[in-house]
Amino acid sequence: MPELPEVERGRLVLEAVTRGRRIEAVACADDRIVFDRQSPLAVKRALVGRLAVAACRRGKHLWLELDRPPFPCFHFGMTGSFQGYRDESERPRFWKIELTLDHGLRLAMTDARRFGRIRLARDPLAEEPIRSLGFDPHLDLPGPAEFLRLCRGRTVTAKGLLLDQSFAAGVGNWIADEILYQAGIDPRARVADLSDADLRSMRTRLKAIIDLAVREKSQSSRYPRSWLFHYRWGKPKGAVDARGEAISFATVAGRTTAWVPARQPIGSRRGRKAGKG
């Protein structure tokens, strides 16, 4: 499933093709699942003739700001993406919407598995589902003191907290595992049992991993070879990390989770617990 870095890469594609251009034509697939609460025809009528002003993102949600509302909002689901091209003959498989701009380029959102969504919003940041999102780790990560405050009193697991989109918008399964691996925190540990040092380390790794993945435009081959990312896929038997330490797999917070027990012991290990003392 696309996570924040992949969605930010999509935003860059959306921006490159559309910003400052007028939408001359819109084609919509007749897919009432992907088109959320508005018919494909209503979306088409709302967009034709509008000027694209900016491509915006919060967490895993995207929207195209136009010269006047409503604005089209996009969520990639599990397999969504944007593709830019010039000719209708290049229209990709599984396309759901295609915008033709006044410079002759086209942009399509594809979604093979139909878990993505396209909808209209007059004020995306003030409307659901974007309104209920937490901070965006790339755009407005809280400072250390505020981050600790947001974590205190939580009874969920460390993995569950990171996957909670009302806490940190855009963090998904592999990023959550990578954060905890690099921070040395067991994904099953309860947040309330973690020390302030644990939580500060979690914040530091959250920022570093997201920023690097965004900077590399989500090209995973350019991620450091020390990352757990490169060794976790498919739950291979006898899997080890870059240091040769065994990787364990289990379901945590409803998701398949990879961690290295030798590096991520259960419990708080770095001084006083959060909120104590």
Side-chain angles (χ1 to χ4, degrees), residues 7 12 37 43 52 58 73 78 83 85 89 92 98 130-131 145 167 192 194 209 215 226-227 251 268 270:
V7 179
L12 294 175
R37 296 190 295 274
V43 172
R58 187 164 189 82
C73 301
M78 294 187 69
Q83 295 186 38
Y85 48 97
S89 64
E98 178 192 70
I130 298 174
R131 180 176 66 182
F167 174 72
L194 297 178
I209 291 162
R215 185 169 64 250
S226 59
W227 281 20
T251 299
S268 179
R270 302 189 186 94

Side-chain angles (χ1 to χ4, degrees), residues 71-235:
F71 306 146
C73 301
F74 309 93
H75 189 273
F76 287 158
M78 294 187 69
T79 57
S81 67
F82 285 135
Q83 295 186 38
Y85 48 97
R86 184 168 293 278
D87 189 81
E88 184 178 356
S89 64
E90 301 174 77
R91 181 184 284 173
R93 292 182 67 196
F94 308 117
W95 70 277
K96 300 303 175 184
I97 188 169
E98 178 192 70
L99 309 181
T100 301
L101 290 305
D102 60 7
H103 56 0
L105 293 181
R106 300 167 186 247
L107 179 125
M109 175 178 157
T110 65
D111 184 12
R113 297 190 63 181
R114 304 173 73 198
F115 288 107
R117 294 293 180 265
I118 301 169
R119 60 187 180 85
L120 295 174
R122 299 194 66 83
D123 186 356
L125 286 170
E127 300 177 30
E128 297 294 352
I130 298 174
R131 180 176 66 182
S132 295
L133 295 176
F135 63 82
D136 184 295
H138 189 61
L139 300 176
D140 53 13
L141 178 68
E146 177 64 10
F147 186 87
L148 263 63
R149 187 192 69 78
L150 292 172
C151 293
R152 287 174 179 145
R154 304 265 188 162
T155 59
V156 297
T157 61
K159 176 70 176 281
L161 177 69
L162 290 171
L163 291 180
D164 182 352
Q165 298 301 291
S166 69
F167 174 72
V171 175
N173 200 42
W174 81 258
I175 291 179
D177 284 355
E178 192 67 46
I179 291 166
L180 297 173
Y181 172 72
Q182 294 188 25
I185 297 170
D186 190 298
R188 303 164 297 174
R190 295 288 166 181
V191 174
D193 294 331
L194 297 178
S195 69
D196 286 356
D198 285 323
L199 297 176
R200 283 193 291 267
S201 181
M202 183 189 295
R203 177 190 175 277
T204 298
R205 301 324 304 164
L206 168 61
K207 175 176 173 54
I209 291 162
I210 290 285
D211 287 354
L212 188 150
V214 168
R215 185 169 64 250
E216 299 296 350
K217 295 183 172 59
S218 194
Q219 298 180 60
S220 60
S221 63
R222 301 178 69 172
Y223 297 166
R225 295 308 300 178
S226 59
W227 281 20
L228 181 66
F229 176 93
H230 297 289
Y231 312 96
R232 54 163 293 142
W233 302 105
K235 299 190 291 185

